[in-house]
């Protein structure tokens, strides 16, 4: 028997036999399966499921719709050759759930497990192999969870997993910054802003990273991107922290330029002082040589 594979990021995809046999079901059945998978740690009463998915119908009709949907889902997950109950569990009391002990692969499960494991380690001490693993697992995030589904439970799960994805990008950003890989850190920061361009603290972090990377103009440009985005989307100005950082970067180069000029001036003055001292030493040496020559001439003419 092959393994059931289900991907929920960027939509819903269901396959058997190591991605070779795709299962086609309606969006209603996709939603029911997604709910059972996302809530895979427990069983669900039929009344609750009927209320969640067919709450606009009367109880009898909602129960009938649920029974039909479960029959279709069972047929899709457990076609001929796969024993009943392999993936879909229905207890004697009527509770419905996904069989967590079955041989299956779920992108959300892999995503959550790997991230939870890695992010418990401080980014300052984590090994490179863990970073490679984290980067690889983030590739599973091919889009928002259950794109196109807008029920409350789907939106809550979407936001939760989206927050986990962003937290992982921040972790990678911090790791790269710690190791001086500023360009890569900036790239991760930009990925965060692609998801949420209103994250002002990320704009500030990119400004600092550009500055650390010797790209003052790009740091100032990032502030302008932040300012225009906030103005357009929210009608507000950047926070005082962002404005202060912009001012610091804008004025900081002038101070550095002045300091360089000052240092250069001091160096020139030191050189002139050294030249003057050397000139005085030369003049003194010439005078001593002249006196010595006079003495030699005097003794040569009058040896006695």
């Amino acid at each position: 028997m092959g393994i059931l594979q289900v991907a929920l990021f960027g939509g819903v995809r269901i396959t058997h036999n190591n991605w070779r046999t795709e299962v086609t079901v309606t969006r209603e059945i996709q939603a029911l399966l997604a709910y059972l998978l996302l809530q895979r740690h427990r069983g669900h009463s039929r009344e609750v499921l009927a209320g969640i998915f067919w709450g606009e119908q009367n109880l009898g009709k909602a129960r009938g719709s649920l029974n039909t949907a479960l029959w279709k889902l069972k047929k899709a997950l457990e076609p001929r050759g796969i024993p009943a109950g392999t993936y879909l569990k229905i207890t004697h009391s009527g509770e419905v759930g996904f069989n967590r002990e079955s041989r299956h692969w779920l992108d959300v499960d892999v995503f959550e497990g790997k991230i939870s494991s890695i992010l418990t380690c401080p980014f300052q001490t984590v090994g490179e192999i863990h970073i490679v693993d984290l980067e690889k697992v983030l590739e599973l995030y091919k889009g928002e969870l259950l794109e196109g589904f807008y029920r409350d439970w789907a939106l809550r799960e979407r936001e939760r997993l989206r927050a986990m994805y962003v937290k992982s990008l921040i972790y990678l950003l911090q790791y790269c910054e710690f190791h001086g890989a500023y360009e890569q850190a900036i790239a991760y920061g930009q990925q965060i802003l692609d998801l949420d361009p209103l994250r002002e603290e990320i704009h500030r972090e990119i400004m600092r990273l550009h500055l650390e990377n010797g790209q003052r103009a790009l740091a100032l440009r990032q502030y302008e991107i932040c300012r225009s985005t906030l103005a357009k989307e929210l009608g507000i100005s950047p926070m005082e922290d962002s404005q202060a950082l912009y001012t610091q970067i804008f004025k900081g180069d002038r101070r550095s330029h002045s300091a360089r000029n000052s240092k250069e001036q001091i160096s020139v003055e030191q050189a002139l002082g050294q030249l003057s001292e050397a000139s005085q030493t030369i003049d003194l040496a010439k005078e001593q040589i002249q006196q010595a020559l006079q003495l030699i001439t005097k003794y040569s003419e009058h040896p006695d």
Side-chain angles (χ1 to χ4, degrees):
M1 181 178 67
I3 298 176
L4 175 71
Q5 301 90 19
V6 184
L8 301 181
F9 286 121
V12 179
R13 185 185 177 200
I14 310 165
T15 63
H16 284 294
N17 304 318
N18 299 319
W19 304 103
R20 290 193 295 270
T21 307
E22 187 150 3
V23 178
T24 303
V25 293
T26 64
R27 286 177 60 82
E28 184 179 63
I29 304 304
Q30 288 180 355
L32 178 59
L33 174 60
Y35 182 85
L36 294 175
L37 286 169
L38 292 171
Q39 305 296 329
R40 59 194 176 278
H41 304 293
R42 60 188 180 89
H44 310 273
S45 71
R46 290 175 177 267
E47 288 75 14
V48 170
L49 291 175
I52 290 174
F53 290 96
W54 296 277
E56 72 282 359
Q57 302 176 4
N58 62 55
L59 182 59
K61 192 172 182 179
R63 288 289 298 268
S65 296
L66 174 62
N67 289 336
T68 300
L70 288 174
W71 177 79
K72 291 180 179 179
L73 179 58
K74 182 180 177 63
K75 186 177 180 181
L77 298 183
E78 300 168 355
R80 182 176 298 180
I82 298 179
T86 298
Y87 300 114
L88 194 61
K89 293 175 60 177
I90 301 178
T91 67
H92 293 298
S93 62
E95 282 198 335
V96 180
F98 184 81
N99 183 8
R100 294 170 55 201
E101 304 303 320
S102 62
R103 296 182 66 221
H104 70 279
W105 181 93
L106 173 63
D107 59 352
V108 171
D109 192 24
V110 177
F111 181 84
E112 289 182 288
K114 182 65 71 174
I115 289 176
S116 298
S117 174
I118 295 176
L119 265 57
T120 57
C121 304
F123 66 84
Q124 299 92 334
T125 60
V126 72
E128 184 177 354
I129 188 171
H130 294 91
I131 293 300
V132 172
D133 285 346
L134 181 57
E135 291 174 329
K136 186 174 181 179
V137 80
L138 290 186
E139 293 177 2
L140 294 175
Y141 196 91
K142 300 182 181 301
E144 298 280 13
L145 179 80
L146 297 173
E147 287 183 352
F149 293 83
Y150 300 104
R151 291 181 180 271
D152 288 343
W153 61 267
L155 294 175
R156 286 193 299 270
E157 287 296 294
R158 183 178 303 160
E159 183 57 33
R160 182 180 69 84
L161 292 169
R162 184 171 181 266
M164 184 174 286
Y165 179 69
V166 170
K167 186 176 181 180
S168 300
L169 291 175
I170 293 174
Y171 185 91
L172 290 171
L173 183 156
Q174 293 171 328
Y175 173 86
C176 291
E177 181 181 12
F178 181 75
H179 289 278
Y182 299 123
E183 291 289 348
Q184 187 61 50
I186 291 169
Y188 284 125
Q190 190 56 59
Q191 282 184 252
I192 298 170
L193 292 181
D194 289 343
L195 285 173
D196 188 356
L198 300 178
R199 293 287 292 263
E200 192 171 344
E201 79 281 9
I202 301 300
H203 283 284
R204 287 198 299 272
E205 187 60 29
I206 292 178
M207 290 169 66
R208 295 188 185 96
L209 287 166
H210 277 310
L211 194 61
E212 288 291 333
N213 204 32
Q215 299 169 318
R216 176 175 173 268
L218 292 180
L220 296 174
R221 180 175 177 271
Q222 189 66 42
Y223 175 82
E224 290 301 323
I225 293 173
C226 175
R227 183 194 61 74
S228 62
T229 300
L230 292 174
K232 179 181 179 181
E233 298 295 330
L234 302 177
I236 61 175
S237 299
M239 297 171 61
E240 290 183 2
D241 288 350
S242 301
Q243 296 182 36
L245 178 59
Y246 171 80
T247 302
Q248 177 185 341
I249 295 172
F250 182 77
K251 292 184 177 180
D253 189 68
R254 288 185 174 183
R255 287 196 296 268
S256 299
H257 183 69
S258 299
R260 287 197 300 270
N261 286 343
S262 177
K263 289 180 181 179
E264 290 172 359
Q265 184 64 33
I266 291 172
S267 297
V268 172
E269 290 176 355
Q270 289 176 341
L272 289 173
Q274 292 173 352
L275 183 60
S276 177
E277 291 176 0
S279 179
Q280 292 176 6
T281 300
I282 291 173
D283 289 340
L284 179 60
K286 287 181 178 180
E287 184 177 346
Q288 292 174 341
I289 291 171
Q290 187 64 35
Q291 292 175 354
L293 289 173
Q294 290 175 355
L295 287 173
I296 291 171
T297 302
K298 179 180 178 181
Y299 287 124
S300 298
E301 294 175 353
H302 306 285
D304 295 334

